[in-house]
Amino acid sequence: MGQVSVGQVENLEDLIRGLGAVLEALETTCRRQIEAAERQRAEAREEAQHSQDLLAQAIQAEQRAQEKLAQAVQQLESAMNALRAAQAALAACEARPTDENGDKPDCSGEEAAVEEAQAAVEISQAVLEAAQAEMEKATENRQRMEQRVERANLALSKAEQAFERVVQECTSRTEKVRNLIDMGKARLAAAQSALEAYLASNPPIARFYQWLRWRPTQGKPVTPDVIRERINLSRDQQELLQEYLYDRNPSYRSMVNKCRSEWAAAKGDVERNLINRKARIHLSGAFGEQLARFALAPLGARIETQGRTLVAHEGRYTRTDLIVHDLRNPVILGRGEGMAAPVGGSLAFEVKCGKPNYLYAQKDHMRFQTEGHKEADAHCTLCSRDIHDLPPEREKELREALRAAGSPLVGMMPAKNDIDQSCLAMIHRHKEHDLP
């Protein structure tokens, strides 16, 4: 059976949740894009139909103009024939000889007929010109409508193609994500089965899993003994937390990998000792904060890390390592004012792991950090058990300073040396997990 870690199973759970969120967002986006493409297609279809109607009207108008032009041509021809006939009659009249008195024939009627026929010709020519202009305009309009129909049909064709592409693309992509989710669920089921079998055969792993999944008993106050048990992990449990953080926390994994790379490239004991020293400072500090975070986070519905608070009288900001909001149970951190919080309240913690002299040297800094705790219902400064190794008078001085500042020292964290050894072992250990 392949080994599977708690962190890897949770990574799969996160992956599936992430894919589910991607699918939901993708479906929403696709639905909007399909609706937009459908609107564009409907608009293009409406425009194509409207353009076709306008073309039909233009063709009818051109036909009517053509008929009027033919009538105008016919009317002009009739007027011209009438003019020619009137002119011929006038010529015949004028060609008659004079009478016995020597008078010329009276052709006034024929002259009037010619004038009337000429006027009719002029009117017919004007009507013809107007009909020709109307015909040209109707033809131009019909040609424009033909071009409009062509463009509208092209736009409709493109809109239909775009709609089909959007539907096909959305269908393809959502299907791929669904397949990935199905594959992820199958992997998760296999991983969970392997994890359950692994937990059943490995009590330390099972205890660590229970530690991660722990929730306080509903309605029951959480006492200092419970917190001490939560936060004081054994070396074996610290090793498992190291692996869990490596799997689950990219920032922590990056710190470990950087130390491993530097260790692999180190030349000689001097460089290795420097790497170990940096790890004891930086990696151990990060691990201590994460230990406190996972130990105390189940107490509330929401946690906040490295929250900034402006210290007005100092004119600068302080960062609070851990704030637990919306407590599920009443919590008692210890005796004294500011050491208990109700359901729905909050807890604030400064986390400090270090050797005795380091803890003493951090007195002023820790006292300043307590300024960020004031808004919480209960607050304290969590430190490693090394506090107990200080000379009695120094331990008393340090405790009184922090109590006076409002966040008493609570020495529940594992010893600094244990945390250091856990971190160094993580750097020097290259362990791989296999998922089913």
Side-chain angles (χ1 to χ4, degrees), residues 185-234:
K185 287 180 177 178
R187 279 194 81 188
L188 178 60
Q192 286 175 331
S193 177
L195 178 60
E196 289 172 2
Y198 187 51
L199 294 176
S201 64
N202 195 319
I205 298 290
R207 285 194 295 272
F208 175 70
Y209 186 74
Q210 292 171 354
W211 182 83
L212 282 176
R213 292 291 191 270
W214 176 82
R215 287 292 183 273
T217 303
Q218 187 174 4
K220 185 177 180 181
V222 177
T223 62
D225 289 341
V226 174
I227 296 175
R228 182 180 294 105
E229 183 180 356
R230 289 286 301 160
I231 210 166
N232 190 23
L233 286 185
S234 67

Side-chain angles (χ1 to χ4, degrees), residues 143-256:
Q143 291 173 343
R144 285 197 301 271
M145 292 305 102
E146 287 176 341
Q147 293 173 354
R148 176 170 176 163
V149 167
E150 184 179 352
R151 290 194 298 268
N153 287 337
L154 179 60
L156 175 58
S157 176
K158 289 183 178 179
E160 289 176 339
Q161 292 173 6
F163 177 79
E164 292 174 359
R165 283 197 303 270
V166 168
V167 172
Q168 291 174 356
E169 185 72 15
C170 285
T171 301
S172 173
R173 293 197 177 194
T174 52
E175 186 64 26
K176 286 180 180 178
V177 176
R178 286 194 184 96
N179 289 338
L180 287 173
I181 291 175
D182 290 341
M183 290 171 57
K185 287 180 177 178
R187 279 194 81 188
L188 178 60
Q192 286 175 331
S193 177
L195 178 60
E196 289 172 2
Y198 187 51
L199 294 176
S201 64
N202 195 319
I205 298 290
R207 285 194 295 272
F208 175 70
Y209 186 74
Q210 292 171 354
W211 182 83
L212 282 176
R213 292 291 191 270
W214 176 82
R215 287 292 183 273
T217 303
Q218 187 174 4
K220 185 177 180 181
V222 177
T223 62
D225 289 341
V226 174
I227 296 175
R228 182 180 294 105
E229 183 180 356
R230 289 286 301 160
I231 210 166
N232 190 23
L233 286 185
S234 67
R235 288 191 178 185
D236 289 342
Q237 296 291 291
Q238 288 182 47
E239 178 182 331
L240 294 172
L241 180 59
Q242 289 279 2
E243 296 290 344
Y244 179 82
L245 291 174
Y246 188 85
D247 286 334
R248 294 285 289 155
N249 189 317
S251 176
Y252 193 79
R253 180 167 58 250
S254 177
M255 292 179 68
V256 172

